Amino acid sequence: MSTTAQTPKQPAPPRTRHRTHPRAHSRWSALAVLCAGTLMTILDGNIVTVAMPAIQSDLGFDGPGLAWVVNAYLIPFGGLLLLAGRLGDLLGRKRMFATGLAVFTAASVLCGVATGRETLIAARALQGVGGAMTTAVVLGMLVALFPEPREQVRAIAVFSAVGAAGGALGTFLGGALTQALNWHWIFLINLPIGLVALLAAVRVLAPEPGTGLREGADFPGAVLVTGALTLTVYVIVGAGGRALTATLLLSALALVLLVAFTLRQARTARPLLRLRLFGSRLLSGANAVQVLMIATMYGFQFIGALYVQRVLGYDELTTGTAFLPAPVTIGVLMLGLSARTVGRFGPYRVLLAGLALVVAGMALLSRAPVDGSYAGDVLPPMLLLSVGFAAAMPALTGLAMSEARPEDAGLASGLFNTTQVVGGSLGFAVLSTLAAGHTAGLVEQGAQLVPATAEGYRLAFRVAALIATGALTLAATVLRPRAARAAD
């Protein structure tokens, strides 16, 4: 006690060091909070997959209308990522992350208590807003937490594995909750999780003061790009039941909004998206490849789950369990092998190998018959797709970011996140519309419902295989290393 009395200031230095250089466990606790928030938003992009037949039956959605249960979430999510990232810089990233969690959790409750189609779609859109606010600032916070290169690689690997596996994990959780309780609980479960994550974020994350709103944010640009994306998906989803003239007019309006957004970004003093980024061959090419690759993977996640339920006759829990090998495979490979594989063979070769496996998986899935089996017709292509995605995604991310200037790194990351969501939204809209339209046509011609449904899904899988082939071709040509291009 006498020693303590004589040196009362000794405890002070550790507290000062803690404020300036957070201890390892503090930083990894913060990473856990960031991963938890991101996992919630990613899961809710996919957790409705297995529950969609129950939602359709309960609320009376038609085939094309059911797609909006997914797209109402994805469109504001993808369209607002750039604006949310900018607002995070202005208002503070911790504040944006915590506010996004609060919005997302509240919207989840609204989804869970929804008793009508319009209410559910509106609440899903609000979920997308909260998801964008939460996700847009995570990567910047992560890089600030782990400035040392080796630890940063480990942290990003953990974050990437959580994100990649979370998408497929949502299928399992959606099936388990729908069967054990009902579809409302796939949303209501977010209330306790969201509250815990929000309290942890307030307690664990260090405050990051923003530069202030006086620096400006391009709200009109955000409205234009979100409107263009919304109209594009709306045109695709409703094309089969709409007059050709109306479809062409809506398509033209979507194009006008996209052109207006581009012109605004070229002229405004503080754009959401600096167009000079597209001068990078690798950044532009990687984002284009990602749109096609993610569109393909959504065909597997959503259409595959519907095939297992509506053709093979699995219930919700069995369907969710059947898809569990996908997130396990993706998570294990991304954490254990992806970084070493890319380091040994280079991102270009690993990307091409991964995309080749994705093409093979979708081609195999396109043969799934009406009397198919899980072990013979679903599991083999699922494993090919999972291994291919686990290999391709980290390699593609590295290529996309390799030419970004330091001052553009955050924006390049936001763009990459945006095209990921856009690819999923457009891919699901195209593939679900093709499957529903083809099935309806066959039923009108006298075919029985289950065989017609199987044929509709096979058409969607074949188109997804063609999309994946396009991604592989684009990657092989546009992303080829300069040395190899010069040698030719």
Side-chain angles (χ1 to χ4, degrees), residues 281-307:
R281 172 180 62 89
L282 291 181
L283 179 64
S284 299
N287 277 278
V289 169
Q290 179 174 232
V291 169
L292 300 177
M293 182 178 74
I294 297 299
T296 302
M297 295 304 296
Y298 264 65
F300 155 65
Q301 289 183 13
F302 287 95
I303 309 299
L306 291 174
Y307 167 80

Side-chain angles (χ1 to χ4, degrees), residues 81-398:
L81 274 171
L82 293 174
L83 178 62
R86 176 61 175 160
L87 288 175
D89 293 337
L90 300 178
L91 299 175
R93 292 170 182 167
K94 176 181 177 179
R95 180 181 299 176
M96 181 59 63
F97 181 83
T99 304
L101 279 178
V103 172
F104 183 88
T105 302
S108 297
V109 174
L110 293 178
C111 289
V113 300
T115 57
R117 290 169 293 183
E118 295 79 7
T119 304
L120 178 60
I121 290 174
R124 286 286 283 167
L126 185 60
Q127 268 192 315
V129 174
M133 296 170 68
T134 300
T135 304
V137 297
V138 167
L139 193 56
M141 297 176 75
L142 187 151
V143 171
L145 280 169
F146 298 92
E148 196 275 322
R150 182 173 298 181
E151 283 195 336
Q152 189 177 107
V153 169
R154 289 176 57 201
I156 290 177
V158 171
F159 178 76
S160 299
V162 168
L169 186 61
T171 306
F172 169 74
L173 293 178
L177 289 170
T178 301
Q179 175 121 354
L181 300 168
N182 56 56
W183 67 263
H184 297 275
W185 282 94
I186 66 175
F187 302 113
L188 292 176
I189 193 66
N190 287 332
L191 177 59
I193 298 173
L195 289 176
V196 171
L198 180 59
L199 292 174
V202 172
R203 180 179 178 84
V204 173
L205 298 181
E208 297 183 24
T211 58
L213 283 175
R214 64 183 180 279
E215 295 293 330
D218 186 15
F219 293 100
V223 171
L224 288 171
V225 70
T226 306
L229 177 59
T230 304
L231 267 179
T232 300
V233 175
Y234 180 71
V235 168
I236 294 170
V237 170
R242 189 186 299 119
L244 178 60
T245 302
T247 298
L248 292 176
L249 287 174
L250 290 171
S251 301
L253 180 56
L255 181 60
V256 167
L257 291 176
L258 183 59
V259 171
F261 170 74
T262 304
L263 292 175
R264 178 170 179 84
Q265 300 313 289
R267 296 175 181 177
T268 189
R270 297 183 178 89
L272 278 179
L273 183 61
R274 289 188 283 273
L275 299 182
R276 72 162 184 265
L277 288 177
F278 294 102
S280 166
R281 172 180 62 89
L282 291 181
L283 179 64
S284 299
N287 277 278
V289 169
Q290 179 174 232
V291 169
L292 300 177
M293 182 178 74
I294 297 299
T296 302
M297 295 304 296
Y298 264 65
F300 155 65
Q301 289 183 13
F302 287 95
I303 309 299
L306 291 174
Y307 167 80
V308 168
Q309 284 184 281
R310 293 179 169 175
V311 177
L312 300 187
Y314 285 24
D315 59 29
E316 291 90 349
L317 179 58
T318 308
T319 300
T321 305
F323 275 77
L324 197 55
V328 172
T329 301
I330 291 171
V332 169
L333 291 180
M334 287 188 107
L335 282 174
L337 295 177
S338 61
R340 283 181 286 178
T341 304
V342 171
R344 180 174 180 180
F345 298 103
Y348 176 73
R349 291 189 180 91
V350 174
L351 173 61
L352 294 189
L355 288 174
L357 291 175
V358 171
V359 172
M362 287 307 308
L364 190 60
L365 194 57
S366 68
R367 300 171 58 253
V370 66
D371 57 349
S373 67
Y374 172 74
D377 300 297
V378 178
L379 183 59
M382 179 192 301
L383 294 177
L384 285 173
L385 287 161
S386 300
V387 174
F389 183 76
M393 193 63 192
L396 190 62
T397 304

